[in-house]
């Protein structure tokens, strides 16, 4: 495993040595309030006296605390125990996404849309607008870029605007990809992100043939959804729900998933939003805060909210979700599930926003309608705000050239969380990520100041809350969280811990 | 105790890098001016915003707690110097920006 010599020599009487770790006060009021984490994602809760004893080599070798520290790789015994091969394997598992190229390829086939959402995150053009569709030549080049990635599993996602308004281009791209894949033999998943308002039998036939998944937006009950997503006919909710039912009838219940966008008015009704997802039969809900992109920034004074308000909403929503899951409903919160995977398993969730080095460009590429390539959906949204500095190049350039672009170098230089000011001392960094695009959007600096970062406040707030729930000893809550992690029903999850 | 809160530190106990990290981490609560005189580092802390509810006494304790925590982190980093890099180099051998 080693391609260079590593010699660990004990030069004094210390019976153990420290391995790299970080600590954080969680301010829970509990005795063991300090969270210790290792670079490999192991964690322990300790008190002040234990932290000082550990740090100054005063932990007695016969104690359970000492054995815990050894087992979780916070300390090692030179000459008796070499933890590095195992730690390197764990570290490699957590960063395994670095060993493959971009797997998520987003095709923005049109910017046209029938909605006029004030908070629109991707920006849009009028229904009949011209010059806002991906050309055939650029679409073909994008398919070439897709297959230049060495990722064995590829997701091809169609975005807009409303991609079904450019369905002929979607059809063409899918057919090209399927044809190429006869030779390439990759595992390919197609997803169309759509309001479902423009579904037809023809589209569903094609989706069935190519096992295309649909991802839609459902913001909550009709009054909330229609207020968030205005259309001239004021029936956005009704048309989306009809579309959900139609997809399910034709392609099966799990062929459509939904995402929620939370505006300021959404934050007042967490239970109503969750009840809507239950009544529509979804098994997952994504409670994501508004992003500062696209048209959202222009309307920010009316629609945006401090991240503290979002965190209060999230905690209330999660409490409600935990309660109804214990009563037999299965509805997981998707971001919580990703964070739990980062905390409780040796693997990374792989989620683009929770990667370090940053996932922009390394995990995802966006082929915009105008033929330019962006490292993330958020980066192309900045374009509609008049900021084109984050483009990697054109879709006609080879992938190797796009990934070696100055923008990619800048993103990577500011995208390693473990090396960023603030993050480098944070005990939550093994479970978190770096998001230079968001910091560039919000603070005009891809590194940004973490104390003033909404990304940091959100992830710290959620991670601390989850550590609190995992540590408070409520078996029923932990069973729900484990059921989300394992995608199994509450009743199928045994009580956590040992039951003699 | 009144604003601004002042502290005088022995630079042997609290190296400048420790003081700077503590000041950085508290930037949303207190704005800290750092001065160096001989073997002493002086801190002058002002509320970061007018509506801060923290009393000067609480701010003093908070700054001290952060200084002590960052001094401990500095000690841990010195004890483990180089190991993080060895681990990352071994674990990530063979990866770059992959296509």
């Amino acid at each position: 495993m080693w391609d260079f010599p590593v010699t660990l020599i004990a030069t004094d009487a210390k019976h153990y040595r420290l391995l790299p770790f970080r600590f954080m006060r969680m301010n829970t009021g509990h005795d063991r309030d300090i969270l210790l984490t290792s670079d490999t994602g192991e964690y322990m809760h300790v008190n002040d006296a234990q932290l000082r004893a550990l740090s100054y080599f005063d932990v007695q070798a016969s104690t359970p605390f000492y054995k815990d520290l050894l087992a979780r790789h916070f300390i090692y015994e030179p000459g008796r125990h070499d933890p590095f091969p195992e730690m390197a394997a764990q570290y490699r598992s957590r960063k395994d996404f670095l060993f493959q190229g971009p797997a998520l390829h987003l095709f923005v086939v049109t910017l046209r849309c029938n909605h006029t959402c004030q908070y629109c995150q991707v920006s849009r053009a009028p229904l009949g607008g011209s010059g806002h569709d991906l050309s055939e030549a650029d679409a073909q080049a994008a398919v070439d870029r897709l297959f230049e990635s060495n990722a064995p599993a590829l997701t091809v996602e169609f975005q807009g605007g409303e991609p079904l308004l450019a369905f002929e281009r979607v059809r063409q791209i899918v057919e090209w990809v399927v044809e190429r894949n006869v030779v390439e033999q990759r595992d390919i998943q197609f997803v169309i992100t759509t309001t479902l308002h423009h579904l037809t039998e023809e589209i569903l036939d094609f989706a069935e043939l190519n096992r295309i998944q649909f991802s839609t937006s459902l913001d909550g009950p009709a009054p909330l959804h229609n207020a968030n997503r205005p259309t001239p006919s004021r029936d956005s909710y009704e048309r989306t729900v009809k579309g959900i039912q139609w997809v399910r009838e034709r392609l099966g219940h799990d062929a459509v998933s939904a995402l929620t966008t939370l505006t300021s008015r959404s934050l007042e009704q967490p239970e109503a939003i969750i009840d809507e997802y239950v009544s529509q039969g979804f098994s997952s809900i994504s409670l994501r805060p508004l992003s500062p992109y696209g048209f959202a920034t222009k309307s920010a004074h009316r629609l945006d909210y401090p991240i503290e308000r979002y965190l209060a909403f999230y905690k209330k929503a999660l409490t409600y979700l935990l309660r109804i899951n214990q009563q037999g409903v299965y509805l997981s919160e998707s971001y919580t599930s990703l964070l739990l995977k980062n905390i409780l398993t040796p693997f990374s969730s792989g989620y683009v926003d929770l990667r370090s080095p940053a996932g922009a460009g390394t995990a995802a590429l966006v082929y915009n309608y105008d033929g330019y390539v962006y490292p993330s959906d958020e980066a192309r949204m900045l374009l509609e705000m008049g900021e084109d500095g984050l483009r990697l190049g054109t879709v006609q350039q080879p992938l190797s050239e796009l990934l070696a672009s100055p923008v990619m170098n800048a993103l990577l230089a500011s995208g390693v969380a473990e090396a960023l000011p603030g993050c480098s001392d944070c005990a939550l960094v093994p479970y978190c990520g770096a998001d230079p695009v968001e910091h560039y959007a919000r603070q005009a600096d891809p590194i940004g100041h973490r104390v003033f970062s909404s990304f940091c406040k959100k992830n710290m707030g959620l991670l601390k809350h989850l550590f609190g729930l995992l540590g408070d000893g409520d078996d029923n809550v932990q069973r729900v969280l484990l059921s989300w992690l394992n995608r199994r029903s509450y009743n199928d999850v045994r009580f956590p811990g040992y039951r003699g | 105790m009144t604003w601004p809160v002042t502290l005088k530190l022995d630079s042997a106990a609290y190296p400048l890098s420790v003081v700077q990290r503590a000041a950085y981490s508290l930037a949303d609560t207190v704005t800290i001016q750092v001065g160096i005189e001989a073997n002493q580092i002086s801190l002058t802390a002002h509320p970061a915003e007018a509506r801060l509810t923290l009393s000067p006494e609480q701010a003093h304790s908070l700054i001290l707690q952060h200084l002590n925590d960052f001094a401990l982190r500095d000690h841990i980093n010195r004890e483990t110097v180089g190991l993080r890099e060895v681990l990352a180099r071994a674990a990530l051998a063979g990866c770059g920006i992959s296509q």
Side-chain angles (χ1 to χ4, degrees):
Chain A
M1 151 138 249
W2 306 94
D3 55 359
F4 48 88
V6 176
T7 309
L8 305 172
I9 302 171
T11 55
D12 56 33
K14 298 169 191 166
H15 59 293
Y16 66 86
R17 291 303 175 88
L18 301 184
L19 288 164
F21 69 89
R22 298 176 175 88
F23 70 87
M24 170 184 271
R25 292 177 192 280
M26 306 294 274
N27 299 321
T28 57
H30 294 162
D31 173 42
R32 293 188 304 147
D33 181 57
I34 298 169
L35 178 73
L36 301 187
T37 66
S38 71
D39 283 17
T40 56
E42 297 277 6
Y43 70 90
M44 287 177 73
H45 295 279
V46 301
N47 60 32
D48 260 302
Q50 287 174 313
L51 174 60
R52 294 203 79 77
L54 160 65
S55 305
Y56 290 99
F57 310 99
D58 205 20
V59 181
Q60 299 308 306
S62 57
T63 59
F65 179 47
Y66 184 90
K67 287 169 187 160
D68 251 5
L69 291 168
L70 261 185
R72 292 166 198 247
H73 297 144
F74 289 101
I75 60 173
Y76 69 98
E77 296 172 328
R80 292 187 61 188
H81 159 232
D82 178 6
F84 281 86
E86 193 180 330
M87 288 176 71
Q90 288 176 326
Y91 196 100
R92 197 178 175 93
S93 295
R94 290 194 85 84
K95 302 285 185 188
D96 68 346
F97 52 81
L98 290 174
F99 293 86
Q100 63 171 28
L104 175 60
H105 297 256
L106 297 108
F107 289 68
V108 181
V109 288
T110 183
L111 269 199
R112 290 178 292 128
C113 187
N114 59 319
H115 282 73
T116 52
C117 307
Q118 292 170 324
Y119 65 84
C120 179
Q121 296 190 340
V122 294
S123 302
R124 81 276 169 173
L127 262 182
S130 61
H132 292 100
D133 287 9
L134 183 68
S135 73
E136 183 171 337
D138 285 340
Q140 201 146 30
V143 171
D144 289 340
R145 302 294 83 77
L146 163 82
F147 282 110
E148 283 168 10
S149 170
N150 68 3
L154 297 165
T155 299
V156 178
E157 185 171 325
F158 297 99
Q159 289 238 358
E162 169 49 61
L164 293 187
L165 292 174
F167 179 67
E168 283 314 306
R169 187 69 70 235
V170 172
R171 177 202 293 275
Q172 230 172 4
I173 293 167
V174 170
E175 286 174 349
W176 288 331
V177 170
V178 169
E179 192 182 327
R180 275 280 288 274
N181 203 40
V182 172
V183 175
E184 294 278 353
Q185 290 292 302
R186 313 285 183 95
D187 179 7
I188 293 178
Q189 174 69 62
F190 296 105
V191 180
I192 302 179
T193 299
T194 168
T195 60
L196 300 172
H197 291 196
H198 303 275
L199 269 184
T200 61
E201 285 290 352
E202 181 198 0
I203 291 172
L204 287 168
D205 287 343
F206 186 74
E208 187 175 22
L209 186 67
N210 293 285
R211 289 185 297 161
I212 295 174
Q213 293 277 316
F214 289 90
S215 171
T216 195
S217 295
L218 183 64
D219 287 356
L224 178 61
H225 185 94
N226 286 337
N228 279 354
R229 298 176 182 268
T231 58
S233 50
R234 299 180 184 180
D235 59 352
S236 178
Y237 170 86
E238 289 75 13
R239 292 173 72 182
T240 293
V241 167
K242 187 180 160 206
I244 291 168
Q245 288 162 355
W246 199 5
V247 171
R248 284 176 172 163
E249 280 165 23
R250 287 291 313 276
L251 309 179
H253 190 86
D254 296 332
V256 59
S257 58
L259 295 172
T260 321
T261 294
L262 300 169
T263 58
S264 186
R265 64 169 76 87
S266 310
L267 300 188
E268 293 154 14
Q269 37 193 314
E271 288 92 352
I273 295 170
I274 291 166
D275 287 344
E276 178 65 31
Y277 272 69
V278 173
S279 73
Q280 295 301 335
F282 285 107
S283 58
S284 169
I285 186 169
S286 169
L287 299 172
R288 55 185 181 155
L290 199 63
S291 300
Y293 309 111
F295 289 166
T297 299
K298 293 179 190 168
S299 314
H301 62 287
R302 270 179 290 120
L303 300 165
D304 205 1
Y305 38 81
I307 202 70
E308 290 78 8
R309 245 191 100 198
Y310 166 76
L311 288 172
F313 162 87
Y314 171 87
K315 288 174 189 173
K316 202 170 169 189
L318 191 62
T319 301
Y320 185 59
L321 277 170
L322 291 169
R323 191 164 75 232
I324 63 172
N325 273 265
Q326 288 171 48
Q327 292 163 357
V329 170
Y330 183 90
L331 183 64
S332 66
E333 201 288 308
S334 55
Y335 200 70
T336 306
S337 302
L338 295 170
L339 292 174
L340 287 171
K341 183 165 185 187
N342 284 0
I343 295 171
L344 295 175
T345 79
F347 309 105
S348 160
S349 67
Y351 187 64
V352 175
D353 293 357
L354 289 173
R355 287 187 182 197
S356 171
T362 61
L365 286 172
V366 179
Y367 309 108
N368 206 19
Y369 70 97
D370 55 8
Y372 287 104
V373 182
Y374 290 85
S376 70
D377 214 18
E378 291 76 11
R380 67 117 176 169
M381 292 167 196
L382 288 172
L383 172 69
E384 305 305 324
M385 295 161 61
E387 173 57 68
D388 61 3
L390 290 182
R391 62 172 57 139
L392 303 181
T394 79
V395 74
Q396 304 295 337
Q397 294 173 260
L399 184 60
S400 56
E401 213 170 288
L402 296 169
L403 293 183
S405 68
V407 167
M408 272 311 296
N409 286 333
L411 290 175
L412 288 170
S414 50
V416 180
E418 291 86 344
L420 294 176
C423 297
S424 64
D425 293 314
C426 177
L428 300 175
V429 76
Y431 319 113
C432 197
D435 195 342
V437 176
E438 154 125 7
H439 288 98
Y440 182 71
R442 285 203 187 257
Q443 298 189 22
D445 172 6
I447 292 176
H449 195 310
R450 286 306 184 267
V451 168
F452 302 105
S453 156
S454 293
F455 174 85
C456 177
K457 284 181 185 171
K458 178 186 86 172
N459 285 325
M460 287 221 346
L462 302 189
L463 283 164
K464 279 184 164 185
H465 189 62
L466 289 179
F467 271 109
L469 292 177
L470 291 170
D472 78 356
D474 185 329
D475 282 348
N476 294 320
V477 165
Q478 293 185 21
R479 276 177 74 191
V480 174
L481 296 177
L482 290 176
S483 78
W484 293 356
L485 181 66
N486 299 316
R487 295 181 187 185
R488 298 174 68 176
S489 77
Y490 174 76
N491 288 328
D492 287 343
V493 176
R494 289 169 178 274
F495 279 96
Y498 298 103
R499 285 285 184 276
Chain B
M1 192 178 277
T2 56
W3 293 103
V5 172
T6 58
L7 289 91
K8 294 229 181 273
L9 307 170
D10 184 334
S11 60
Y14 301 99
L16 184 59
S17 64
V18 164
V19 174
Q20 287 171 328
R21 279 169 188 254
Y24 182 91
S25 73
L26 287 167
D28 60 342
T29 309
V30 283
T31 305
I32 300 177
Q33 181 180 318
V34 181
I36 304 173
E37 306 151 12
N39 294 330
Q40 274 205 330
I41 297 177
S42 67
L43 305 188
T44 309
H46 295 267
E49 52 182 46
R51 59 197 168 101
L52 185 73
T53 53
L54 215 61
S55 69
E57 288 80 7
Q58 288 169 318
H60 186 271
S61 300
L62 186 68
I63 295 167
L64 256 184
Q65 185 189 58
H66 277 245
L67 285 165
N68 290 334
D69 282 353
F70 277 100
L72 186 55
R73 290 188 180 102
D74 185 54
H75 163 78
I76 295 163
N77 288 341
R78 276 186 281 112
E79 288 291 335
T80 59
V81 69
L83 294 184
R84 205 161 250 152
E85 291 73 14
V86 166
L87 180 63
R89 203 175 296 134
L92 304 181
C95 88
I97 300 185
S98 183
Q99 274 188 48

